[in-house]
Amino acid sequence: LDDLNRAIDISERAMDATPQDYPDRAFRLNNIGGWLGRRFERTGSIDDLNRAIDISERVVDATPQDHPDRAAWLNNFGAWLGRRFEREGSINDLNRAIDITYTAIDATPQDHPNRAFRLNNIGGWLGRRFERTGSIDDLNRAIDMANMAVGATPQDHPDRALRLNNFGILIGRRFEQSGSTDDLNRLISSSKEGWSCHSASPSTRIILARRAAIYLILQWKLEKSSHLLREAVTLQWKLKESSHLLREAVNLLPIVSPRSSQHTDKQHVLADFAGLASMAAAMSLNAAAMSLNPAEGDKEEKAYDAVKLLELGRGVIASLLMDMRADVSDLSLRYPDLAGEFLSLRDELDSPAGRSLALSPSDSPTSWESQAKRRREADLKFSELVTTIRTKPEFHNFLLPPTRDELMAAANPDPIVVVNLSGFRCDAFIIEHDQIRALNLSSLTLKKVQEYAQQLRSSPPADMAPMLEWLWEAVCRPCLNALGFTGNYPSSGNPPHVWWIPTGPLSKLPLHAAGIHVPGSTETVLDRVMSSFAPSIRALIHGRQRRPRDPSRPPSDHALLIAMSKTPGLSTNRILPSVQDEVEMLSGLCPALKLQAIRPPLRKADVLKHLEECKIFHFAGHGKTDPMEPSQSQLLLEDWESDPLTVGDLRDHKLQDNPPFLSYLSACSTGSNQAENLEDEGIHLVSAFQLAGFRHVVGTLWEVVDAHCVEVARVLYETLRDEGMTDYAVCLGLHRAVKKLRDREVDKGSERAGRPAILLMDSETEQNEKVGGMMNYYWVPFVHFGV
């Protein structure tokens, strides 16, 4: 996006310096319109789009009928009108876009290299009008135009895949109308052909592979139901081909988001491929189940294969960061030159791209481009270096997804449960120190999870019991039973520990709180195990490998305490009455914890500076999530309106040289990612602190009640005081705190008639009285992420 903003600024400067009668004035004006339109596509700014349309119309009006560029400028004008139709729905804009694009095609010679591009555009706009009006004539004409565009494009042209993609979309719509077998076959063949265009962009190829896989599965279902598919080998081949396409698409995901790009640019690209890894994992299991080759049906091998796909295709942005921040001490001992080059390139790429490229108005385009070029070159060198390192003995798996042995080692001593959510099938992958297995979860459905996630997003329901009980039946009880955790753990002992890694929208639901919460129940997660979460197994391994850069340096004893009892700039809930009590409680425990309490000025720069020297960071105050741009979610300090402390700031703030122990975020929704298409990227405040270098983070899935935050924090820190500041004690402390609050509510429930339910209060209000005998579920949102 910085590139685009800079292009607009430079083009406008060039325009201001161009005389009115200059021959190329229209050309430069057209450039500005093009860049403004591109920025609209990225940011959604309707002002940019309206300016692009106005400029394009001025360019066309000022261009003679016989000008060689008139057709191109007519095409641009039509394109931006079409985009405004997509945004605002005006049929007049769409009709004008079609008429103007037809005029552009009429003005384009048959052998012109851009004729295929314009034919492709008119096909797209006719397809849009079909969607609006239902005119099958428009759809048929759209398909003909798109087919002509493909035919006019050379086999090795980079845009051939794009035109095959457009053709596939259109013929897919006709298939949905007619059910024509011929249309289905053409849809699949065109998508597969587009996937095979290796000159195309990785993003386009991924889209085509996914479409081909989906319709291959649909074709199999249709032929199976109509008894057209008679041979088992053909049945298995269709599923296997679908699985292969999805697997190869997942392998391209890291390529579509290069390290040299800003994180926000990576997010924009990856949002188009939400759920791809889960789909690939599900189809790999389906294909293996149908295999006629016994070796392909090995249960542990197929489970590992599916987990590997999830590890590669989820959390791509975090994985790229972890690659660059990986511990290379072993490499330094064996190959110090390679390690030195790795660290040099890492430092170049791990600097925030936006800041390194932020230039003043006086900076020249050349100096700006040179910085961007250096990052791209560093990215290429980094990839080449990693390939070289993998040729060395004992480093063949350097920065690759974990091997089977590494996965099982990560589950020693505590098992890991990866829950894959897909529209094709849902499974839990249970990883223990000696085995990996897949457990089909037939009662878990994508639709049901999406419904509950939407409820939580709009407003947590007053009665959470149905959701928690369904999660228990569909997910948690089968998994815990498979692990042998079939009853309550002894009250005198510590509970066993399970790591949960949910995928997709399931990451928004409280697996740790699933169960039937009534007096005497053994049917709850809380009563059988204590729970922690991780974004991926790779993240667990990375966090455990992190160690201080200078072992001789004494560890920090600072507890950085932030109490935002009053937050300026908020129209409501400015004051949180219990925040000061919470921080005073922790300050009083610091001597017993062998910590020195530090209370810096409550401003971003001061907090970031002190983070570099702390062992514990405790924030009590307001959190704010940004559903459109999760990297802008933030903790609200005194200067949050002018200089917010965001996910992006924390993620880029590298603390690996002296990794802190615990970040406790006593604020609302710090572990929540509301961007629906980025759920598997896990972009929220909790993950940002982990990527910065914190070993453990305690956060929340949604709003929390101010008064109860004090009690949860007290129990956790008292556990650290009594048990020692260990990895196990952090999870145990939160488990004890949450269970204590839950038990209190269950005990109260035994005194009330009717089924337990809740009245969830707003996070910043005083606790309301329970109404109608309802049970309060204020204990549910608290979660632990760690190592």
Side-chain angles (χ1 to χ4, degrees):
L1 187 58
D2 279 354
D3 287 353
L4 190 52
N5 291 334
R6 189 68 177 171
I8 291 170
D9 291 341
I10 291 170
S11 298
E12 287 179 337
R13 285 193 222 172
M15 197 66 227
D16 291 341
T18 303
Q20 290 289 334
D21 58 351
Y22 189 74
D24 284 340
R25 182 176 175 83
F27 176 79
R28 295 179 182 178
L29 193 61
N30 179 72
N31 283 350
I32 297 175
W35 298 133
L36 286 166
R38 294 288 184 270
R39 190 164 68 183
F40 156 76
E41 291 176 337
R42 179 62 185 275
T43 67
S45 168
I46 194 64
D47 289 340
D48 279 343
L49 181 57
N50 287 334
R51 286 183 63 198
I53 290 171
D54 291 342
I55 288 171
S56 297
E57 187 168 19
R58 285 163 53 195
V59 170
V60 169
D61 290 344
T63 304
Q65 292 286 335
D66 59 350
H67 194 283
D69 290 327
R70 181 174 173 81
W73 294 340
L74 281 164
N75 183 76
N76 292 346
F77 184 26
W80 301 132
L81 283 166
R83 292 287 187 271
R84 191 164 69 185
F85 160 75
E86 292 174 335
R87 173 66 179 268
E88 298 189 335
S90 169
I91 194 66
N92 289 333
D93 278 341
L94 182 57
N95 289 335
R96 286 184 71 198
I98 291 171
D99 292 342
I100 290 168
T101 308
Y102 266 129
T103 303
I105 292 171
D106 291 341
T108 305
Q110 290 289 333
D111 59 350
H112 194 282
N114 286 335
R115 184 174 177 83
F117 174 70
R118 292 159 197 169
L119 288 166
N120 187 67
N121 282 357
I122 193 66
W125 300 134
L126 287 165
R128 294 288 189 277
R129 192 161 69 183
F130 157 74
E131 292 174 349
R132 178 66 175 269
T133 67
S135 168
I136 197 67
D137 287 340
D138 274 343
L139 181 57
N140 289 334
R141 287 166 61 205
I143 292 171
D144 291 341
M145 290 293 176
N147 195 33
M148 290 169 60
V150 172
T153 306
Q155 291 286 336
D156 58 350
H157 195 286
D159 288 339
R160 183 173 175 84
L162 279 171
R163 288 158 197 169
L164 284 162
N165 179 51
N166 193 39
F167 175 74
I169 291 171
L170 293 167
I171 206 162
R173 289 177 185 145
R174 192 166 70 185
F175 166 72
E176 291 168 0
Q177 295 286 315
S178 66
S180 165
T181 301
D182 180 60
D183 281 345
L184 180 57
N185 289 333
R186 293 176 72 191
L187 167 57
I188 293 172
S189 63
S190 64
S191 299
K192 287 164 61 177
E193 182 186 348
W195 156 253
S196 299
C197 292
H198 292 277
S199 60
S201 71
S203 296
T204 302
R205 294 186 66 217
I206 292 172
I207 290 169
L208 286 156
R210 179 173 58 186
R211 182 182 300 120
I214 290 171
Y215 282 98
L216 273 168
I217 296 164
L218 177 60
Q219 187 181 57
W220 164 66
K221 290 180 179 178
L222 291 172
E223 292 178 348
K224 182 182 177 184
S225 64
S226 61
H227 306 291
L228 294 176
L229 198 63
R230 301 184 182 278
E231 296 185 14
V233 66
T234 308
L235 169 64
Q236 194 269 339
W237 173 81
K238 286 185 181 290
L239 291 180
K240 190 171 183 178
E241 185 178 20
S242 174
S243 175
H244 174 75
L245 286 164
L246 291 170
R247 178 189 311 278
E248 292 303 308
V250 168
N251 287 333
L252 286 182
L253 281 177
I255 300 175
V256 303
S257 54
R259 297 176 183 88
S260 57
S261 298
Q262 294 186 56
H263 296 310
T264 50
D265 295 332
K266 296 183 182 111
Q267 291 167 200
H268 177 72
V269 172
L270 290 169
D272 290 335
F273 308 121
L276 179 64
S278 287
M279 186 188 304
M283 285 311 303
S284 75
L285 292 180
N286 277 342
M290 295 298 299
S291 175
L292 301 180
N293 183 347
E296 292 180 356
D298 176 75
K299 290 184 178 180
E300 184 159 341
E301 181 62 30
K302 71 180 184 181
Y304 167 63
D305 190 52
V307 171
K308 191 164 58 172
L309 286 168
L310 293 174
E311 287 291 301
L312 182 63
R314 297 178 60 258
V316 174
I317 296 172
S319 293
L320 292 172
L321 274 175
M322 287 187 285
D323 286 351
M324 290 186 288
R325 299 176 184 180
D327 177 64
V328 292
S329 55
D330 291 340
L331 184 66
S332 298
L333 291 173
R334 298 287 302 278
Y335 305 101
D337 291 344
L338 292 177
E341 188 179 356
F342 179 92
L343 294 172
S344 175
L345 291 169
R346 179 190 71 180
D347 291 343
E348 172 81 17
L349 289 166
D350 202 15
S351 62
R355 293 175 199 166
S356 66
L357 298 179
L359 307 183
S360 68
S362 62
D363 288 321
S364 69
T366 303
S367 64
W368 173 78
E369 171 58 24
S370 69
Q371 292 187 49
K373 183 180 179 181
R374 283 201 304 273
R375 286 184 67 88
R376 292 192 295 270
E377 290 174 347
D379 188 10
L380 179 62
K381 290 178 181 178
F382 189 90
S383 297
E384 292 172 347
L385 176 64
V386 168
T387 300
T388 299
I389 293 171
R390 288 175 185 161
T391 66
K392 304 301 180 184
E394 301 180 18
F395 290 93
H396 65 279
N397 206 53
F398 185 71
L399 302 187
L400 288 175
T403 64
R404 188 192 310 201
D405 289 343
E406 288 170 336
L407 290 177
M408 291 188 292
N412 187 13
D414 302 322
I416 301 168
V417 179
V418 182
V419 186
N420 189 45
L421 186 69
S422 165
F424 296 107
R425 59 180 290 163
C426 298
D427 302 89
F429 298 99
I430 299 176
I431 305 165
E432 299 171 271
H433 68 92
D434 59 349
Q435 64 176 330
I436 303 172
R437 49 193 165 130
L439 175 68
N440 183 241
L441 301 175
S442 58
S443 297
L444 179 63
T445 65
L446 175 61
K447 182 180 179 182
K448 192 73 171 177
V449 171
Q450 289 172 331
E451 290 173 357
Y452 279 129
Q454 182 57 41
Q455 288 179 21
L456 292 173
R457 181 175 183 175
S458 56
S459 178
D463 185 1
M464 283 193 187
M467 176 184 68
L468 298 182
E469 292 175 9
W470 179 77
L471 284 173
W472 173 250
E473 298 290 343
V475 182
C476 297
R477 181 166 64 179
C479 293
L480 295 183
N481 285 349
L483 285 166
F485 303 136
T486 56
N488 292 6
Y489 62 87
S491 58
S492 59
N494 287 332
H497 184 202
V498 171
W499 289 96
W500 300 99
I501 302 179
T503 68
L506 188 62
S507 62
K508 299 177 180 180
L509 304 191
L511 294 178
H512 63 290
I516 303 170
H517 297 279
V518 295
S521 173
T522 62
E523 300 289 293
T524 77
V525 174
L526 269 175
D527 290 299
R528 294 194 186 184
V529 298
M530 62 181 186
S531 298
S532 295
F533 291 87
S536 67
I537 304 173
R538 192 175 188 180
L540 271 178
I541 295 171
H542 174 79
R544 291 168 181 173
Q545 291 174 339
R546 192 180 293 140
R547 49 192 122 169
R549 180 75 60 88
D550 183 4
S552 64
R553 180 181 178 182
S556 170
D557 65 350
H558 289 183
L560 183 58
L561 311 183
I562 306 296
M564 285 296 299
S565 53
K566 296 181 181 179
T567 304
L570 293 182
S571 57
T572 59
N573 301 317
R574 290 182 63 248
I575 298 176
L576 297 176
S578 300
V579 160
Q580 200 62 40
D581 294 340
E582 183 174 335
V583 172
E584 290 297 335
M585 173 277 298
L586 177 52
S587 181
L589 285 173
C590 277
L593 291 165
K594 298 182 174 59
L595 295 173
Q596 177 185 353
I598 304 294
R599 297 196 185 189
L602 303 177
R603 303 179 68 81
K604 172 182 170 179
D606 296 289
V607 170
L608 286 176
K609 180 180 178 181
H610 282 84
L611 278 177
E612 297 172 5
E613 299 294 334
C614 76
K615 185 171 187 176
I616 285 179
F617 172 69
H618 188 98
F619 177 89
H622 281 290
K624 179 182 177 183
T625 59
D626 189 327
M628 298 301 296
E629 176 47 87
S631 287
Q632 293 301 311
S633 297
Q634 59 192 263
L635 297 177
L636 303 192
L637 297 166
E638 288 182 350
D639 57 346
W640 71 274
E641 293 173 287
S642 59
D643 192 16
L645 179 58
T646 67
V647 164
D649 294 320
L650 293 161
R651 183 174 53 197
D652 293 335
H653 202 69
K654 300 180 286 292
L655 306 174
Q656 286 80 13
D657 289 353
N658 187 30
F661 182 70
L662 169 65
S663 173
Y664 191 114
L665 306 178
S666 188
C668 297
S669 306
T670 51
S672 172
N673 179 7
Q674 298 295 342
E676 291 185 10
N677 290 334
L678 289 168
E679 291 151 335
D680 279 329
E681 288 302 305
I683 304 169
H684 45 65
L685 286 159
V686 167
S687 66
F689 275 96
Q690 282 193 293
L691 287 169
F694 278 85
R695 193 168 178 85
H696 298 278
V697 188
V698 172
T700 58
L701 292 178
W702 55 79
E703 295 87 351
V704 287
V705 180
D706 183 36
H708 295 296
C709 289
V710 184
E711 190 166 4
V712 173
R714 177 185 290 111
V715 174
L716 185 146
Y717 286 112
E718 286 177 348
T719 301
L720 293 181
R721 177 197 64 193
D722 299 338
E723 302 287 337
M725 203 163 295
T726 65
D727 296 334
Y728 186 82
V730 176
C731 184
L732 178 62
L734 185 65
H735 176 79
R736 286 176 174 175
V738 171
K739 189 172 183 299
K740 179 179 179 181
L741 296 182
R742 191 286 311 261
D743 289 347
R744 180 188 302 164
E745 285 301 313
V746 169
D747 290 342
K748 291 177 181 177
S750 65
E751 302 170 3
R752 299 192 295 262
R755 176 178 172 170
I758 69 161
L759 177 67
L760 187 72
M761 282 70 68
D762 184 90
S763 58
E764 276 68 65
T765 58
E766 294 292 335
Q767 184 179 0
N768 294 325
E769 293 299 320
K770 298 176 183 65
V771 178
M774 289 183 174
M775 179 181 180
N776 196 311
Y777 281 75
Y778 53 76
W779 49 271
V780 172
F782 298 93
V783 289
H784 167 248
F785 283 70
V787 298

